[in-house]
Amino acid sequence: MKDNNEEQARSLFGISLTSRPKWHQFLICSSGFFFGYLINGICEEYVYNRLQFSYGWYFTFVQGFVYLALIYLNGFTTKQMVNPWKIYVKLSAVLMGSHGLTKGSLAFLNYPAQIMFKSTKVLPVMIMGAFIPGLRRKYPPSEYLSALLLVVGLILFTLADAQTSPNFSMMGVMMITGALVMDSFLGNVQEAIFTMNPETTQMEMLFCSTVVGLPMLIPPMILTGELFRAWTSCYQHPYVYGVLIFEAMATFIGQVSVLSLIALFGAATTAMVTTARKAVTLLLSYLLFTKPLTEQHGTGLLLIAMGIIIKLLPDNKPQKRVSTPIEIRKVENPSNEEEMNRLINDDDEERRHVV
């Protein structure tokens, strides 16, 4: 058991993070995330739009095996696990549920409406953090103001080019809301696991979630017929697998970087980074392809900058984590496993009430 004041040593692909200043840690993790998902965006543009291959479940299934191979090459084995499998079963179920609801909502919401909901992700993450056992995050008003400015700015920026107004359907709203609740639950529980058991590594989190999540992808692929359609299409165009493998390698870097951000800075800060990625990607496209920026673009960028500046103000005090680290590796103490079970079960009940 580590002392509460002793910070758990963490690294990112061999780069030591713990020994560096906080801003170094943030810059390294954010850079890994932006790099990984920038490549991911380029590959998705090619596969989904240019080739017209819209097989999200199947592509996720293929990339899961690439993840497992990369994790193995990084030297992780199940002997290094410090958490029980049941935690990852429920986390993976929530992840697959979020993915399914997000995909399903596309049939009921147009693009501007999807953008509006996706841009608000950071707010439910912050709210849900107050209800997670073992975490109980409390944020100062400045944090909520920063998140709100970021959300509003991102919505204004991303909708500046929308050709149509947001179109809301009650079924679509319910589905995307459920996905947001599950996303907020997922990030906060991951943070709580890192907090309560600092021995948890990013590789363990990603490995276990992938192993448990892969079988959960099979039923929706079969029920929707996507498995057979995707197999036939990829058989006719085998080079697509090369694109998927390359994309998975880049996304792997992004995923591990995100888990590092959660472990070091918390779920809410990570949600702000992942939310801001959309604006950064769009801004780069405007700069690289010299698209004209409108007044609405400028207003959105100004609000985003204000939100980031408020977040980085030096007088912001770190959020308090009301938790006690536990050592799950010691199986002779059953209360440790009971605490982790309560972490999942209590929030499952809370999430059912919210939905």
Side-chain angles (χ1 to χ4, degrees):
M1 174 101 53
K2 289 183 177 294
D3 185 87
N4 291 348
N5 297 324
E6 183 182 349
E7 188 175 4
Q8 167 67 16
R10 297 209 176 271
S11 62
L12 181 62
F13 300 115
I15 302 175
S16 175
L17 297 174
T18 310
S19 59
R20 299 174 183 269
K22 281 292 184 182
W23 71 273
H24 280 192
Q25 298 176 7
F26 184 81
L27 183 62
I28 292 171
C29 295
S30 299
S31 298
F33 165 73
F34 275 94
F35 169 79
Y37 279 92
L38 179 63
I39 302 297
N40 170 264
I42 295 173
C43 292
E44 283 189 348
E45 174 74 21
Y46 177 76
V47 173
Y48 284 88
N49 295 333
R50 186 163 296 187
L51 298 181
Q52 297 297 309
F53 284 6
S54 182
Y55 307 124
W57 294 108
Y58 183 75
F59 290 167
T60 303
F61 186 74
V62 172
Q63 290 174 352
F65 287 99
V66 180
Y67 282 4
L68 295 180
L70 293 173
I71 292 170
Y72 175 78
L73 292 176
N74 274 272
F76 179 83
T77 65
T78 53
K79 294 180 180 179
Q80 300 172 21
M81 287 180 58
V82 297
N83 295 309
W85 277 101
K86 65 174 67 176
I87 291 178
Y88 297 110
V89 170
K90 296 191 176 184
L91 279 178
S92 297
V94 172
L95 180 61
M96 293 302 104
S98 172
H99 186 68
L101 288 173
T102 300
K103 280 179 61 69
S105 68
L106 302 182
F108 300 95
L109 300 173
N110 63 357
Y111 178 75
Q114 296 167 34
I115 290 297
M116 289 187 66
F117 277 98
K118 290 179 181 179
S119 299
T120 63
K121 178 181 176 180
V122 63
L123 294 175
V125 167
M126 296 177 71
I127 295 171
M128 183 69 77
F131 301 99
I132 299 295
L135 194 62
R136 306 297 185 188
R137 279 269 198 176
K138 291 186 177 181
Y139 299 93
S142 60
E143 290 278 344
Y144 286 100
L145 176 60
S146 172
L148 186 61
L149 289 172
L150 180 64
V151 166
V152 175
L154 185 58
I155 291 174
L156 287 176
F157 187 88
T158 53
L159 294 185
D161 292 327
Q163 301 299 317
T164 58
S165 300
N167 181 30
F168 299 102
S169 161
M170 182 57 64
M171 178 61 69
V173 170
M174 291 175 63
M175 293 178 75
I176 199 69
T177 301
L180 285 172
V181 171
M182 289 185 175
D183 281 342
S184 64
F185 168 79
L186 182 70
N188 279 296
V189 170
Q190 287 175 329
E191 180 186 355
I193 293 173
F194 281 127
T195 301
M196 293 192 297
N197 189 8
E199 296 295 328
T200 306
T201 64
Q202 302 96 306
M203 290 298 170
E204 175 185 333
M205 186 78 71
L206 185 57
F207 171 80
C208 295
S209 299
T210 303
V211 167
V212 175
L214 281 175
M216 297 181 183
L217 292 171
I218 297 176
M221 284 195 297
I222 295 176
L223 292 174
T224 60
E226 182 177 308
L227 177 61
F228 308 105
R229 295 196 308 270
W231 176 267
T232 302
S233 298
C234 292
Y235 180 78
Q236 295 172 351
H237 305 276
Y239 61 87
V240 172
Y241 285 110
V243 177
L244 292 179
I245 292 173
F246 179 70
E247 178 186 356
M249 293 172 67
T251 311
F252 176 77
I253 296 175
Q255 286 279 356
V256 177
S257 300
V258 165
L259 291 173
S260 300
L261 280 170
I262 291 175
L264 293 169
F265 297 96
T269 299
T270 303
M272 293 186 71
V273 173
T274 57
T275 300
R277 175 182 70 91
K278 180 79 174 176
V280 173
T281 303
L282 288 173
L283 182 59
L284 284 176
S285 71
Y286 277 87
L287 296 177
L288 292 175
F289 299 104
T290 61
K291 299 179 183 179
L293 289 172
T294 66
E295 182 177 337
Q296 185 171 332
H297 285 116
T299 303
L301 288 175
L302 179 61
L303 292 177
I304 291 172
M306 290 171 63
I308 293 174
I309 291 173
I310 292 176
K311 174 68 179 176
L312 297 178
L313 286 178
D315 58 346
N316 276 1
K317 297 180 180 179
Q319 299 85 3
K320 295 181 180 180
R321 300 184 185 187
V322 185
S323 61
T324 303
I326 60 176
E327 186 70 38
I328 299 178
R329 197 189 299 271
K330 297 179 180 179
V331 296
E332 65 272 10
N333 184 2
S335 63
N336 293 338
E337 187 169 339
E338 291 173 3
E339 175 68 18
M340 298 302 285
N341 289 339
R342 188 171 66 85
L343 168 65
I344 303 297
N345 294 333
D346 286 1
D347 206 80
D348 273 352
E349 187 67 30
E350 179 69 31
R351 183 161 46 84
R352 283 194 292 271
H353 288 312
V354 173
V355 176

